[in-house]
Amino acid sequence: MKRLAVFASGSGTNFQALVDAAKRGELPADIALLVCDRPGAKVIERAGREHVPVFVFSPKDYPSKAAFESEILRKLKERQVEWIALAGYMRLIGPTLLSAYEGKIVNIHPSLLPAFPGKDAIGQAYRAGVSETGVTIHYVDEGMDTGPVIAQRAVPIVPGEPIEALEARIHAVEHELYPAVLRMLLGEAEQQEERIENDGSETSINQRV
């Protein structure tokens, strides 16, 4: 079973969805650490209730991104974390973590990327008057929501509906899709490691759905 860290900055509904999926046996992962850059965020309370270890930090207390990412990296190594899932983490990941976890950092974003990257993606789509938006899960690179797409699911925008209704439908999709995609990724990683262990050769796998 893979050891997974979740990075979050806000209320933590996607964090909760991952924890719940793991408890139900639907996600083959041990949620080993929550990393949060906002002391007082609601997600910290959720982690406490779920007995998930937490590393909370204030970026302003560090001289640079490299400095606080080095501290995060130490915490990840202490908890033997193998994969990272971003779940409403409102900071770009820098070279320190990208190099240490290459190909093993995943993010969820509430739009059909490349449309509406960055903050307030639901509001961006709503105000743009498009007929649909959705949810994207992608690998993380140095850009803002620019990494390779793993999975997407469309969500129609109903004419005249309040934005709160659209947000609720998008969140429902997020809470279903994220655990499912992580289950696929972690399961394929386990299978690949087993093949390497058994025959000493690495077989490439397609991790897209």
Side-chain angles (χ1 to χ4, degrees), residues 187-205:
E188 289 181 342
E190 290 276 10
Q191 292 173 12
Q192 181 170 329
E193 289 170 5
E194 289 175 4
R195 286 195 294 268
I196 294 171
E197 183 176 334
N198 290 338
D199 62 23
S201 64
E202 181 173 350
T203 303
S204 63
I205 56 176

Side-chain angles (χ1 to χ4, degrees), residues 40 44 81 96 124 129 135 137 146 148 151-152 183-184:
I44 299 169
V81 167
T96 301
Q124 289 184 58
V135 176
I137 298 169
T146 55
Q152 292 184 310
R183 179 173 64 244
M184 178 198 71

Side-chain angles (χ1 to χ4, degrees), residues 11-88:
S11 63
T13 60
N14 275 304
F15 166 82
Q16 190 69 57
L18 296 179
V19 170
D20 291 345
K23 290 194 295 185
R24 293 192 301 266
E26 298 171 3
L27 175 61
D30 176 7
I31 311 299
L33 184 67
L34 168 71
V35 174
C36 181
D37 64 330
R38 292 185 179 175
K42 187 175 180 180
V43 68
I44 299 169
E45 298 176 17
R46 292 181 185 272
R49 289 195 297 268
E50 299 294 345
H51 307 290
V52 174
V54 179
F55 174 58
V56 185
F57 70 100
S58 295
K60 62 182 176 60
D61 293 338
Y62 295 82
S64 65
K65 180 188 288 285
F68 68 70
E69 285 202 342
S70 293
E71 180 77 5
I72 294 171
L73 185 58
R74 284 192 290 272
K75 299 296 183 180
L76 296 173
K77 296 301 184 184
E78 286 174 7
R79 300 296 302 170
Q80 299 179 310
V81 167
E82 299 166 275
W83 284 72
I84 297 171
L86 308 186

Side-chain angles (χ1 to χ4, degrees), residues 13-14 16-18 20-21 24 26 108-111 122 133-137 153-156 161 163-181:
T13 60
N14 275 304
Q16 190 69 57
L18 296 179
D20 291 345
R24 293 192 301 266
E26 298 171 3
I108 186 167
H109 184 76
S111 78
I122 299 174
T133 182
V135 176
T136 299
I137 298 169
R153 185 175 297 174
V155 175
E161 74 174 330
I163 191 171
E164 293 80 9
L166 176 61
E167 289 172 343
R169 290 190 292 111
I170 287 176
H171 292 329
V173 171
E174 288 179 330
H175 301 163
E176 177 186 346
L177 188 62
Y178 210 7
V181 171

